[in-house]
Amino acid sequence: MSGTLIANTPIAVDFWRIQKKRHARLFFLSHMHSDHTAGLTSTWRHRIYCSPVTGKILHHQLQVKKSLICSLELAVGHKIDLDELGLQTMTVTLIDANHCPGSVMFLFEGYFGTILHTGDFRYHPSMLQHPPLNNTRIDVLYLDNTNFSPNKKLPSREEATKQIKDIIKEHPEHDVVFGLYKIGKEKLMVELAKEFKSRIVVSPQKLELLNLLELEDVFEAGGGAGRISVVQESDVNRLNMNHWNQAHPTIAILPTSRPAKEWHKNYDVHVVPYSDHSSYQELQEFLNILKPCSLEPIVKHQMCEVLLKDYAQPLKKPLLEIKVPPSVQVFMMGLGCPERYGQGKAAKRQVVQAARQIPKGVVFEALEEHAHASKDLRGELQSVLNSCAAGSLCHTEDCTNRPLSYGPKKNDGKKGRYSILPRKCVPWRHIKKL
Ligand SMILES: [Zn+2]
Ligand SMILES: [Zn+2]
């Protein structure tokens, strides 16, 4: 998983390698698993939108500055500017993804239609029974398709928990070591602590992290506290199994949907398909109810894309065109962005000069309503953007997909109108040049 850049928008989800994709401007983090934070370090300089729990873990684990972390409450719509001037906004709603602590799905609503990015998620019917996802038309669905394979049978988490309990009961004299990722499966561990009346032994670093999550008090650092302990998944190996068994009879449990390895059997390592990703059947149900207009699998592999294409024949009319308001294009080019152009007269000249390169043929709403934009810059940009209204729509040389309505649009007095740029017309050439 290498993150998603949502086409024709400044939105990036779990995507942190921006050197070559400089048009990404708004950064969203779905959860703190390492495959979703690759490239994110303490030197990060842009604002990050995430859930409050993810925000806490992000600062603790990667030392990203608190001032850059924008924690958004779940289940309510948040308005976010899509340009420097506040001309265009979108609404984002965070929805519990039922995956690991702090994990969320993002529902984006704006000029691009309605986009749902699931991040990693385990489907539960309640997700589609309540707002904002009940009766919502989804134009584009970015789907966690990890387990989207008819051959992959997965039990519910409750059934998998029972399997785990049975294995522990069959080994009453053994210590039990769980191999886990840094975050995830905490609820399972709390349940096992209660069932077997044992403290859960973790490393001091893991305990610090768990304390942030304000879970029930069942975890403890240091040996001797209980027969169940947690280590990193990669630490469940042949060498350690030998070592642990020399001290005391020990079994290991790996709660994961990944297949068992050959050596596991010989070393009393039990792989139980406890998954924090939706099963194939759950994904089918999710798609059947949601009926997205188009689908983008997050995990790319050919087989899955074919299956999804077959399966999710859009039942609703898809959006044929995406309107990219020029002020958003200006934003995506980094114009007016102090990090790139700095402050002062020279910087402003550069901003205005660059803004002249945006495609022609647009009609803007009045900037006066957007009082929070700098008055000076607002005036200059307004005049440049207004002049666009007299020009043609798309002048990129390689554009072969001009809309039929090519040419200037008449202002019919309605605010917020802009010309239609079909997908292929987004002038990346201009962006690259800058
Ligand atoms: Zn994950
Ligand atoms: Zn993942």
Side-chain angles (χ1 to χ4, degrees):
M1 148 94 225
S2 51
T4 307
L5 288 167
I6 295 183
N8 297 334
T9 77
I11 302 168
V13 180
D14 300 339
F15 184 93
W16 314 105
R17 289 175 306 280
I18 54 172
Q19 293 78 6
K20 286 183 181 166
K21 305 284 179 189
R22 293 180 66 95
H23 60 280
R25 285 281 171 274
L26 300 171
F27 298 92
F28 294 82
L29 172 60
S30 67
H31 66 294
M32 277 300 292
H33 278 156
S34 55
D35 54 328
H36 295 255
T37 59
L40 185 54
T41 66
S42 58
T43 59
W44 184 258
R45 288 166 54 215
H46 306 271
R47 183 180 293 174
I48 298 174
Y49 297 97
C50 59
S51 71
V53 173
T54 294
K56 277 198 231 174
I57 308 171
L58 175 61
H59 176 65
H60 174 82
Q61 286 214 156
L62 298 179
Q63 288 80 49
V64 170
K65 287 192 195 86
K66 276 187 179 165
S67 58
L68 295 175
I69 299 172
C70 188
S71 298
L72 302 176
E73 197 186 327
L74 270 68
V76 290
H78 302 271
K79 214 170 215 187
I80 292 179
D81 287 351
L82 288 172
D83 55 36
E84 293 292 335
L85 305 174
L87 278 169
Q88 286 290 327
T89 59
M90 69 168 174
T91 302
V92 62
T93 309
L94 279 59
I95 303 157
D96 187 349
N98 190 29
H99 173 70
C100 74
S103 63
V104 289
M105 308 192 271
F106 294 109
L107 181 71
F108 301 107
E109 295 164 279
Y111 67 85
F112 40 76
T114 301
I115 296 173
L116 178 65
H117 192 293
T118 65
D120 284 351
F121 85 121
R122 178 119 199 198
Y123 170 72
H124 187 275
S126 65
M127 287 171 177
L128 300 182
Q129 284 161 3
H130 308 289
L133 288 183
N134 58 335
N135 302 320
T136 300
R137 170 199 164 108
I138 301 295
D139 295 306
V140 187
L141 172 67
Y142 289 85
L143 180 73
D144 168 18
N145 54 306
T146 305
N147 293 324
F148 197 87
S149 163
N151 309 324
K152 211 167 181 175
K153 297 271 180 287
L154 270 187
S156 67
R157 282 199 284 218
E158 290 71 29
E159 286 159 353
T161 303
K162 190 182 171 304
Q163 287 180 29
I164 290 171
K165 286 178 181 172
D166 289 346
I167 293 169
I168 298 175
K169 282 174 191 165
E170 285 161 17
H171 298 81
E173 305 302 325
H174 285 66
D175 281 350
V176 184
V177 175
F178 277 82
L180 302 179
Y181 291 134
K182 276 188 187 155
I183 302 161
K185 319 242 168 25
E186 290 76 12
K187 280 186 188 160
L188 168 67
M189 299 319 295
V190 170
E191 193 171 335
L192 295 177
K194 287 180 179 167
E195 173 87 18
F196 295 100
K197 299 188 177 39
S198 167
R199 305 286 288 171
I200 306 289
V201 181
V202 297
S203 68
Q205 294 86 339
K206 176 124 183 156
L207 189 63
E208 260 182 52
L209 180 67
L210 292 167
N211 286 339
L212 286 181
L213 305 178
E214 297 169 13
L215 297 160
E216 286 180 64
D217 177 27
V218 300
F219 297 98
E220 200 156 310
R227 64 184 278 240
I228 302 175
S229 55
V230 173
V231 298
Q232 280 294 303
E233 199 187 39
S234 55
D235 287 336
V236 176
N237 53 42
R238 279 173 265 213
L239 198 71
N240 280 334
M241 286 306 291
N242 279 331
H243 180 67
W244 294 327
N245 271 290
Q246 275 163 19
H248 190 89
T250 303
I251 60 163
I253 297 178
L254 298 176
T256 175
S257 57
R258 285 193 305 282
K261 292 179 183 152
E262 205 42 51
W263 67 271
H264 285 157
K265 269 186 259 149
N266 308 329
Y267 284 79
D268 234 348
V269 176
H270 301 258
V271 178
V272 180
Y274 181 108
S275 184
D276 287 327
H277 298 270
S278 311
S279 68
Y280 178 66
Q281 289 74 18
E282 287 164 346
L283 287 172
Q284 281 182 311
E285 185 180 325
F286 182 67
L287 292 170
N288 266 329
I289 299 173
L290 204 62
K291 295 186 176 65
C293 299
S294 64
L295 243 174
E296 293 281 344
I298 292 175
V299 185
K300 306 279 182 208
H301 55 91
Q302 239 181 0
M303 181 60 194
C304 195
E305 286 189 36
V306 171
L307 271 169
L308 277 170
K309 215 174 167 188
D310 268 11
Y311 182 80
Q313 276 304 322
L315 296 174
K316 295 176 185 171
K317 201 166 178 274
L319 269 187
L320 293 176
E321 296 154 332
I322 290 190
K323 304 165 179 180
V324 184
S327 66
V328 180
Q329 294 182 35
V330 169
F331 182 51
M332 289 160 79
M333 285 186 258
L335 310 183
C337 176
E339 279 166 25
R340 184 155 180 192
Y341 287 91
Q343 313 274 359
K345 275 189 180 172
K348 201 171 70 184
R349 254 200 317 276
Q350 268 186 296
V351 171
V352 170
Q353 205 176 3
R356 288 183 201 282
Q357 299 186 39
I358 66 168
K360 312 282 183 188
V362 293
V363 179
F364 284 89
E365 60 183 296
L367 287 177
E368 284 75 53
E369 290 172 12
H370 304 279
H372 61 280
S374 131
K375 209 175 171 187
D376 236 17
L377 182 61
R378 209 166 65 212
E380 294 251 12
L381 271 177
Q382 175 77 75
S383 67
V384 175
L385 295 174
N386 278 348
S387 72
C388 296
S392 59
L393 178 62
C394 177
H395 51 212
T396 51
E397 291 145 37
D398 51 353
C399 172
T400 54
N401 191 18
R402 292 171 194 271
L404 290 173
S405 59
Y406 178 70
K409 284 212 170 223
K410 283 180 195 152
N411 188 347
D412 60 3
K414 280 185 199 156
K415 284 183 177 178
R417 288 189 60 229
Y418 36 78
S419 302
I420 292 167
L421 293 176
R423 278 173 185 249
K424 285 183 189 164
C425 283
V426 179
W428 298 124
R429 280 160 54 82
H430 292 308
I431 292 167
K432 278 186 207 154
K433 249 192 269 172
L434 287 169

